[in-house]
Amino acid sequence: MKKIFLFLLLAISANGFSQIMNPVKWTTAVKKISATEYELIASATISGNWHLYSQNVPKGGPSPTTFTFESNANYLKKGNTNEGAGHTVNDPVFKMKITFFEGKAVFKQRIKLKKPNSKFKVNAVVEYMTCNDSQCLPPKEVDLVFDIK
Amino acid sequence: MKKIIFKALMVILFASALSSCSEKKTVGNEFVVKGKFSKITSPVIVYLTYQDDKNESHKEEFVSKNGEFEFKGNAFASSASIFFTPYVEGYTIDQPEYWTVAAKEMKSKPYFEKSRGFFLEGGTFEFTGDDNLETAKLQTDSENQEIFTEYVQGLEKVKKEYVPLVGQKAVSDSIGIKDQKSDKINAEYELKRKQFVDYAYEFSAKYPESKVSLIALQADGFSYDFDKLSVALDQLSKDLQTVKIASLLRERITKENSNNIGKEAVDFSLEDPNGKEISLQSYRGKYVLVDFWASGCAPCRAENPNVVKAYNKFKSKNFDIISISTDIKKEPWLKAVAEDKLPWVNLIDKKERSKATWVAYGVLGIPSNFLIDPSGKIVAKNLRGIELHTKLAEILK
């Protein structure tokens, strides 16, 4: 699995050196589970040796990735935002177990539609921080849009 | 700011070409990329990644059932890459389910391991081969392919020598002992870093008329040598100088120069933990280290004990520190200030990005600091590890 991601990453990074300045790119997708249930998928492509942190970082640790979904009349959130496995390490600086992502990270949020098969948009904001071994980019907020149709 | 610079590149129709209008093509950025691979017979997704003529990144997909594909778009000067992944009915590669199916397929067919980088600009590009992207024949009217290959190979070479030393230096800095071994690592690091940074400028001096030089100069935003970048831009052929990327790089140089050693430090007024505004101006008459950091930044937190050490050593010599946190939220910031026991003035930079102090200082990554003299001039930048102590000892005699 890791090998595949790595290969994808290499293929992509060959393209954009300018991505070094903006090491995390977000894309969104929507998957239909049933007429009343959808899955919102936010994927981060992380270049080079940069890290993106898990949503579940102990307090006092590095800035976790956080999602805020703007509520509207068309849907209700179902459960929390899931994330992939990532890498867990004992961080020597924060002295705690920290999970981070390299290469790629996928976050999923299930939602329940109030009206079956309705069409609408869900706006969300992801707040995150990217680091490598020697520096971090200041915390950043990115707007995401999920198109339910 | 940096986002704009690195994202928003494009070709404006050259003003000169518009006025004189004829000989120069003003709209010549359309490309067609085609492929025909005789031994790829099962469906694959073909990807083309590139930056368009506005320097937006693209990752285009083409589902190919017979080994043939075609992409169309606009590009002025971009390094591009093509690769294949298996086609899985009903799933896209953003979905984990895709990978469970695709992984098997990728193991059994070596052509999924290959990718092909090339230089993309206006024109036609036709790849033909059996199933191997790397060895496929490229027919094109683009004249920059060989120059691009030379650039990529040269870059790989200097990068391979430089990258391992970044890690070695980080380890040696964190130990914080200055001895023969650390001197040797530092010297070698400086040498390889210089070779890595200078490569782009040497390359563009060799090919001032090639669009590939634009890619080289834009390269790694963290390691510009701004004086050399400025010279390199001046040396580009006239046509390339009017291109947006060149003017955006110039803007970046202007920003850097305004925060350079010898320049007056940008004044700021930011809130301390009690909400009281404190300005840089109020520190006139003192040496002050303005230190940018954030609570969640491990490299910053690792550096903090070193900064505290320097503060204790030099605080009696007309020296003070202001830490500026780029934290968005107040609570983790206050907690980290308490944990790291930072005894000096702590400020938070939570203004919107375009008005943020770290942006005004041209900070690209944290930690990052500026040493400012009693008259308000910048006298040193980005002092880390042992360098902070050496520089302070030299200045605060």
Side-chain angles (χ1 to χ4, degrees):
Chain A
M1 190 69 138
K2 207 178 163 202
K3 193 174 167 201
I4 298 162
F5 283 154
L6 193 68
F7 142 74
L8 254 186
L9 186 72
L10 285 177
I12 292 163
S13 67
N15 158 33
F17 294 114
S18 64
Q19 288 178 0
I20 292 167
M21 301 304 297
N22 190 10
V24 180
K25 297 242 180 238
W26 291 93
T27 51
T28 59
V30 171
K31 188 174 160 189
K32 188 173 183 174
I33 308 290
S34 71
T36 55
E37 193 168 331
Y38 280 72
E39 193 164 60
L40 312 181
I41 303 164
S43 324
T45 311
I46 308 155
S47 52
N49 57 348
W50 293 93
H51 292 170
L52 178 72
Y53 293 101
S54 157
Q55 301 173 97
N56 311 305
V57 168
K59 267 204 156 174
S63 308
T65 301
T66 58
F67 288 89
T68 314
F69 291 88
E70 210 174 275
S71 54
N72 68 41
N74 298 304
Y75 82 99
L76 286 171
K77 265 171 61 176
K78 189 184 168 195
N80 294 326
T81 311
N82 286 324
E83 61 182 40
H87 307 272
T88 302
V89 295
N90 270 315
D91 187 285
V93 174
F94 294 108
K95 297 185 180 65
M96 54 176 75
K97 274 206 160 91
I98 285 170
T99 304
F100 64 84
F101 302 98
E102 258 178 349
K104 196 169 168 74
V106 180
F107 300 89
K108 298 200 259 185
Q109 174 68 55
R110 289 266 173 129
I111 59 166
K112 270 243 180 281
L113 272 55
K114 291 192 181 160
K115 243 198 289 165
N117 297 316
S118 51
K119 289 177 187 167
F120 60 94
K121 284 188 167 71
V122 176
N123 293 315
V125 179
V126 56
E127 185 192 321
Y128 65 98
M129 186 157 174
T130 339
C131 298
N132 63 22
D133 289 341
S134 65
Q135 58 191 343
C136 299
L137 301 186
K140 197 169 171 179
E141 289 175 330
V142 168
D143 295 326
L144 303 174
V145 179
F146 300 89
D147 217 346
I148 317 289
K149 49 190 175 186
Chain B
M1 190 62 198
K2 60 196 179 194
K3 193 175 160 196
I4 301 169
I5 293 175
F6 287 91
K7 249 185 135 174
L9 311 184
M10 86 44 345
V11 194
I12 317 172
L13 310 175
F14 309 128
S16 61
L18 271 180
S19 51
S20 68
C21 220
S22 42
E23 322 137 51
K24 197 131 252 154
K25 272 205 282 176
T26 51
V27 190
N29 297 335
E30 295 107 16
F31 68 74
V32 181
V33 174
K34 286 185 189 173
K36 202 171 177 178
F37 288 81
S38 58
K39 287 195 179 149
I40 294 183
T41 44
S42 58
V44 295
I45 312 174
V46 187
Y47 285 88
L48 172 69
T49 65
Y50 69 99
Q51 250 99 352
D52 68 14
D53 50 2
K54 295 180 179 66
N55 210 38
E56 291 289 335
S57 296
H58 286 258
K59 189 166 105 189
E60 302 297 337
E61 297 179 16
F62 186 101
V63 176
S64 170
K65 308 261 171 178
N66 55 2
E68 291 181 29
F69 57 85
E70 182 175 308
F71 295 96
K72 284 182 178 172
N74 289 285
F76 177 72
S78 168
S79 66
S81 174
I82 298 181
F83 57 95
F84 303 137
T85 68
Y87 173 73
V88 179
E89 187 87 49
Y91 291 107
T92 66
I93 65 162
D94 285 338
Q95 299 172 326
E97 295 86 345
Y98 169 88
W99 293 99
T100 25
V101 183
K104 260 188 225 156
E105 178 96 3
M106 292 178 95
K107 235 180 220 167
S108 67
K109 289 176 179 147
Y111 55 78
F112 289 120
E113 298 264 335
K114 312 279 183 194
S115 71
R116 175 69 172 261
F118 65 105
F119 184 79
L120 184 60
E121 59 186 320
T124 55
F125 299 79
E126 287 188 64
F127 292 92
T128 44
D130 41 18
D131 61 10
N132 188 339
L133 274 166
E134 281 170 12
T135 55
K137 200 173 137 207
L138 169 60
Q139 265 186 306
T140 177
D141 45 8
S142 153
E143 290 163 356
N144 284 305
Q145 299 308 317
E146 276 174 31
I147 302 177
F148 179 70
T149 307
E150 184 185 329
Y151 167 66
V152 172
Q153 286 172 350
L155 181 71
E156 281 308 313
K157 188 169 168 280
V158 287
K159 207 169 165 185
K160 216 190 251 168
E161 294 175 357
Y162 166 59
V163 170
L165 284 158
V166 177
Q168 286 180 29
K169 185 177 155 49
V171 171
S172 145
D173 282 353
S174 70
I175 298 167
I177 298 169
K178 195 174 150 53
D179 59 10
Q180 237 177 355
K181 199 179 157 211
S182 73
D183 283 350
K184 193 173 160 246
I185 289 171
N186 281 338
E188 201 169 343
Y189 167 84
E190 284 307 328
L191 175 76
K192 295 298 177 192
R193 179 175 190 279
K194 196 170 170 312
Q195 285 174 355
F196 173 71
V197 172
D198 286 352
Y199 175 68
Y201 312 120
E202 283 158 16
F203 183 86
S204 78
K206 190 172 169 192
Y207 296 108
E209 300 193 347
S210 170
K211 290 174 180 177
V212 179
S213 289
L214 287 174
I215 298 207
L217 294 180
Q218 173 190 13
D220 179 345
F222 280 114
S223 24
Y224 288 139
D225 178 322
F226 288 94
D227 292 336
K228 287 184 182 163
L229 177 59
S230 173
V231 172
L233 286 169
D234 289 343
Q235 285 172 344
L236 289 180
S237 71
K238 258 197 176 149
D239 289 355
L240 296 181
Q241 298 222 8
T242 50
V243 158
K244 186 73 174 246
I245 172 161
S247 61
L248 289 169
L249 283 169
R250 280 189 205 286
E251 272 178 41
R252 179 77 192 98
I253 294 171
T254 310
K255 170 148 266 179
E256 180 70 18
N257 284 346
S258 63
N259 293 298
N260 238 345
I261 292 170
K263 292 285 155 66
E264 182 157 336
V266 178
D267 192 27
F268 52 79
S269 187
L270 296 168
E271 281 182 21
D272 77 356
N274 304 316
K276 191 182 149 207
E277 293 228 342
I278 293 180
S279 71
L280 175 65
Q281 184 71 34
S282 63
Y283 280 75
R284 281 297 137 85
K286 269 190 162 188
Y287 279 95
V288 54
L289 184 78
V290 175
D291 195 31
F292 292 91
W293 73 299
S295 66
C297 160
C300 308
R301 302 292 296 275
E303 179 65 12
N304 273 345
N306 182 53
V307 184
V308 171
K309 228 190 266 172
Y311 177 77
N312 289 330
K313 206 148 98 189
F314 296 101
K315 65 181 173 188
S316 62
K317 298 193 168 178
N318 197 32
F319 171 69
D320 212 335
I321 296 178
I322 304 173
S323 279
I324 298 181
S325 164
T326 62
D327 273 282
I328 293 174
K329 293 190 184 81
K330 213 172 160 179
E331 192 216 333
W333 166 54
L334 293 176
K335 194 163 172 262
V337 168
E339 270 174 15
D340 291 358
K341 302 193 179 68
L342 309 180
W344 51 79
V345 165
N346 279 278
L347 305 176
I348 187 163
D349 195 8
K350 54 179 189 188
K351 294 203 182 87
E352 62 179 283
R353 205 177 180 86
S354 63
K355 291 178 190 149
T357 301
W358 63 267
V359 173
Y361 272 75
V363 169
L364 295 176
I366 48 177
S368 175
N369 59 33
F370 296 80
L371 181 62
I372 296 160
D373 78 1
S375 74
K377 280 204 175 67
I378 297 170
V379 287
K381 273 164 86 162
N382 295 328
L383 300 168
R384 248 163 119 166
I386 198 87
E387 279 172 74
L388 176 61
H389 298 257
T390 326
K391 194 79 194 175
L392 286 173
E394 179 193 316
I395 289 178
L396 306 169
K397 268 179 233 136

